[in-house]
Amino acid sequence: MPGAIDLHAHSSVSDGTESPTELIAAALAAGLGTVALTDHDSTSGWAEAFAAASGTGLTVIPGMELSTNYGPASVHMLAYLFNPMDGGVIAETARIRDGRLHRAERIVEKIGEDYDLSWDDVLAQSADGGTLGRPHIADALVVKGHVGSREEAFESILDWKGPYYEKYYAPSPLEGVSMIVAAGGVPVLAHPATRGRYRVIEEHAIAELVDAGLVGLEIFHRDNTEDGKVRLHELAEKFDLVVTGSSDYHGTGKPNRLAENTTSPESLQRIIAASSGTKPFRG
Ligand code: AMP
Ligand code: FE
Ligand code: FE
Ligand code: ZN
């Protein structure tokens, strides 16, 4: 599928297993024309991704997947084309990453009472200055032989309903949308209809986010349920939201493959038109 558009991919700046340079190579190998780099709560992979894409013809949409908390649920918010130097974004993402770091320490401390696992084991699985999360703890548990895969770790020791789980600070979805819009960016709700911890937000809450500047819904994503997709299409119609599709690629950290879901050129155009924080990088 030459020229396809995939608006959600992670690098080792967060919980992907490939560096931004490797991710760009993978995007080219997958035949993409456009890829968005959307690491969790960090923009620190942007420069490397641009450098790697330079001269290749690939377009890179700089982005981020912002963590937000909606009551007990974790709601992920994709943010595109915002100003990475915006003071609000810099302060808030630093606060989230710091919260994630201390939360990971608390989780590892609790796991360490029952399993052979140290903080150094986890640090060995993450890039310096990267956004820490349960995937890095999962990788350390694999290396230690306690589980066979990331997937298995999430279904057992790292389950959010299990005894080792800890929450971390994140803004509300409404605060997240407002922050992204204030930085000239374009907020799109990530995989809004998955099972489990990342449950569907109710219509009244979506309406509130739309009033604050929500632009789109990521409907074509392998984790959205089929019923959920139908419901999301109704909401997109009702609130005139942009519909996106993407892989949520994490390298070998997840089965998701680049270009398995894609976004239409029309949707991408609407996202670019709604942005004022920075421009796509045309490599
Ligand atoms: P955290 O934000 O630290 O609680 O970890 C959540 C992250 O773990 C999400 O960004 C997902 O990409 C990843 N994740 C969730 N479930 C799984 C799974 N079953 N296998 C691999 N990665 C997962
Ligand atoms: Fe992730
Ligand atoms: Fe996500
Ligand atoms: Zn993601």
Side-chain angles (χ1 to χ4, degrees):
M1 220 200 299
I5 299 161
D6 188 337
L7 294 183
H8 188 164
H10 296 264
S11 77
S12 52
V13 160
S14 61
D15 55 359
T17 57
E18 295 168 353
S19 68
T21 301
E22 290 165 335
L23 169 65
I24 295 302
L28 287 164
L32 290 177
T34 301
V35 69
L37 175 65
T38 55
D39 276 307
H40 296 285
D41 310 310
S42 176
T43 63
S44 58
W46 289 13
E48 185 183 325
F50 295 161
S54 187
T56 66
L58 183 72
T59 294
V60 179
I61 304 293
M64 175 170 81
E65 187 174 16
L66 179 73
S67 304
T68 74
N69 282 335
Y70 182 62
S74 175
V75 169
H76 287 179
M77 185 86 59
L78 291 160
Y80 300 112
L81 298 166
F82 55 92
N83 173 11
M85 299 308 284
D86 177 84
V89 169
I90 290 175
E92 190 66 1
T93 53
R95 184 174 174 196
I96 298 169
R97 289 194 308 271
D98 188 61
R100 279 174 158 286
L101 174 71
H102 292 105
R103 169 260 200 164
E105 285 176 327
R106 292 198 301 278
I107 294 178
V108 170
E109 201 167 305
K110 285 204 275 185
I111 294 176
E113 291 169 12
D114 296 334
Y115 296 86
D116 172 29
L117 182 77
S118 74
W119 183 237
D120 281 346
D121 295 332
V122 174
L123 286 185
Q125 298 306 318
S126 66
D128 268 359
T131 305
L132 268 180
R134 282 181 292 160
H136 305 100
I137 303 173
D139 291 348
L141 288 167
V142 172
V143 168
K144 283 290 185 171
H146 301 307
V147 292
S149 66
R150 258 192 199 187
E151 182 81 39
E152 202 187 312
F154 272 89
E155 281 164 9
S156 56
I157 301 173
L158 295 175
D159 191 320
W160 69 278
K161 295 191 257 12
Y164 307 111
Y165 188 79
E166 293 272 337
K167 286 192 66 146
Y168 58 94
Y169 166 78
S172 71
L174 193 58
E175 289 167 334
V177 166
S178 304
M179 176 189 95
I180 294 159
V181 169
V186 181
V188 172
L189 264 186
H191 45 74
T194 61
R195 283 183 218 285
R197 199 170 136 67
Y198 309 89
R199 70 190 158 88
V200 186
I201 305 197
E202 303 88 342
E203 179 167 338
H204 72 86
I206 300 256
E208 237 178 33
L209 298 182
V210 171
D211 285 343
L214 181 72
V215 168
L217 300 175
E218 185 186 53
I219 300 185
F220 304 109
H221 183 292
R222 65 157 69 201
D223 292 348
N224 285 330
T225 63
E226 290 310 313
D227 288 359
K229 284 179 188 172
V230 172
R231 179 86 190 100
L232 290 171
H233 277 295
E234 289 167 4
L235 290 170
E237 181 94 351
K238 178 163 185 177
F239 295 111
D240 190 28
L241 292 167
V242 175
V243 171
T244 72
S246 27
S247 64
D248 204 355
Y249 182 70
H250 281 68
T252 59
K254 277 191 171 184
N256 311 33
R257 293 299 92 192
L258 284 166
E260 68 176 31
N261 283 295
T262 57
T263 296
S264 72
E266 294 73 27
S267 287
L268 176 59
Q269 273 322 308
R270 282 182 67 184
I271 288 170
I272 293 171
S275 71
S276 60
T278 188
K279 297 208 176 331
F281 179 87
R282 301 187 194 279

